[in-house]
Short mmCIF file of all heavy atoms in Angstrom, two decimals:
data_model
loop_
_atom_site.label_atom_id
_atom_site.label_comp_id
_atom_site.label_asym_id
_atom_site.label_seq_id
_atom_site.Cartn_x
_atom_site.Cartn_y
_atom_site.Cartn_z
N ILE A 38 -30.86 -1.69 3.67
CA ILE A 38 -30.93 -1.94 2.43
C ILE A 38 -31.27 -0.60 1.64
O ILE A 38 -32.08 0.15 2.08
CB ILE A 38 -32.17 -3.04 1.96
CG1 ILE A 38 -31.73 -4.45 2.37
CG2 ILE A 38 -32.48 -2.92 0.47
CD1 ILE A 38 -30.74 -5.08 1.43
N GLY A 39 -30.42 -0.34 0.55
CA GLY A 39 -30.64 0.81 -0.22
C GLY A 39 -30.52 0.49 -1.66
O GLY A 39 -30.53 -0.72 -2.09
N GLY A 40 -30.40 1.46 -2.61
CA GLY A 40 -30.28 1.26 -3.93
C GLY A 40 -30.48 2.49 -4.82
O GLY A 40 -30.64 3.61 -4.34
N ALA A 41 -30.71 2.26 -6.02
CA ALA A 41 -30.95 3.41 -6.95
C ALA A 41 -31.55 2.79 -8.17
O ALA A 41 -31.46 1.64 -8.67
CB ALA A 41 -29.71 4.05 -7.35
N LEU A 42 -32.44 3.77 -8.91
CA LEU A 42 -32.96 3.52 -10.22
C LEU A 42 -32.62 4.67 -11.17
O LEU A 42 -32.85 5.90 -10.76
CB LEU A 42 -34.50 3.37 -10.11
CG LEU A 42 -35.24 3.19 -11.52
CD1 LEU A 42 -34.87 1.97 -12.13
CD2 LEU A 42 -36.73 3.27 -11.16
N ARG A 43 -31.98 4.39 -12.30
CA ARG A 43 -31.48 5.44 -13.12
C ARG A 43 -32.00 5.27 -14.50
O ARG A 43 -32.26 4.14 -14.97
CB ARG A 43 -29.93 5.48 -13.12
CG ARG A 43 -29.39 5.72 -11.84
CD ARG A 43 -27.88 6.20 -11.96
NE ARG A 43 -27.16 5.41 -12.86
CZ ARG A 43 -25.82 5.13 -12.68
NH1 ARG A 43 -25.19 5.43 -11.51
NH2 ARG A 43 -25.16 4.42 -13.57
N PHE A 44 -32.35 6.41 -15.21
CA PHE A 44 -32.60 6.42 -16.66
C PHE A 44 -31.74 7.30 -17.35
O PHE A 44 -31.07 8.25 -16.78
CB PHE A 44 -34.06 6.91 -16.77
CG PHE A 44 -35.07 6.13 -16.07
CD1 PHE A 44 -35.51 6.42 -14.86
CD2 PHE A 44 -35.62 4.89 -16.64
CE1 PHE A 44 -36.59 5.68 -14.12
CE2 PHE A 44 -36.57 4.26 -15.98
CZ PHE A 44 -37.04 4.64 -14.75
N ASN A 45 -31.56 7.18 -18.65
CA ASN A 45 -30.48 7.93 -19.46
C ASN A 45 -31.01 8.31 -20.80
O ASN A 45 -31.78 7.62 -21.36
CB ASN A 45 -29.26 6.89 -19.65
CG ASN A 45 -28.11 7.72 -19.83
OD1 ASN A 45 -27.52 8.44 -18.90
ND2 ASN A 45 -27.46 7.75 -21.01
N TYR A 46 -30.63 9.53 -21.12
CA TYR A 46 -30.96 10.13 -22.45
C TYR A 46 -29.55 10.48 -23.06
O TYR A 46 -28.75 10.98 -22.39
CB TYR A 46 -31.81 11.37 -22.40
CG TYR A 46 -31.83 12.16 -23.71
CD1 TYR A 46 -32.75 11.77 -24.62
CD2 TYR A 46 -30.92 13.29 -23.90
CE1 TYR A 46 -32.64 12.46 -25.89
CE2 TYR A 46 -30.91 13.95 -25.07
CZ TYR A 46 -31.83 13.55 -26.06
OH TYR A 46 -31.85 14.27 -27.25
N ASN A 47 -29.37 10.06 -24.30
CA ASN A 47 -28.17 10.50 -25.03
C ASN A 47 -28.47 10.87 -26.54
O ASN A 47 -29.31 10.20 -27.08
CB ASN A 47 -27.12 9.48 -24.90
CG ASN A 47 -27.33 8.27 -25.80
OD1 ASN A 47 -26.86 8.19 -26.90
ND2 ASN A 47 -27.86 7.21 -25.30
N LEU A 48 -27.68 11.87 -26.96
CA LEU A 48 -27.67 12.26 -28.35
C LEU A 48 -26.23 12.36 -28.80
O LEU A 48 -25.47 13.20 -28.30
CB LEU A 48 -28.30 13.66 -28.41
CG LEU A 48 -28.42 14.31 -29.85
CD1 LEU A 48 -29.39 13.40 -30.64
CD2 LEU A 48 -28.94 15.70 -29.70
N SER A 49 -25.85 11.34 -29.72
CA SER A 49 -24.43 11.19 -30.07
C SER A 49 -24.22 11.74 -31.60
O SER A 49 -24.93 11.35 -32.51
CB SER A 49 -24.02 9.74 -30.02
OG SER A 49 -24.29 9.22 -28.71
#
Side-chain angles (χ1 to χ4, degrees):
I38 287 286
L42 175 64
R43 298 195 321 216
F44 301 98
N45 202 71
Y46 166 83
N47 78 83
L48 179 66
S49 303

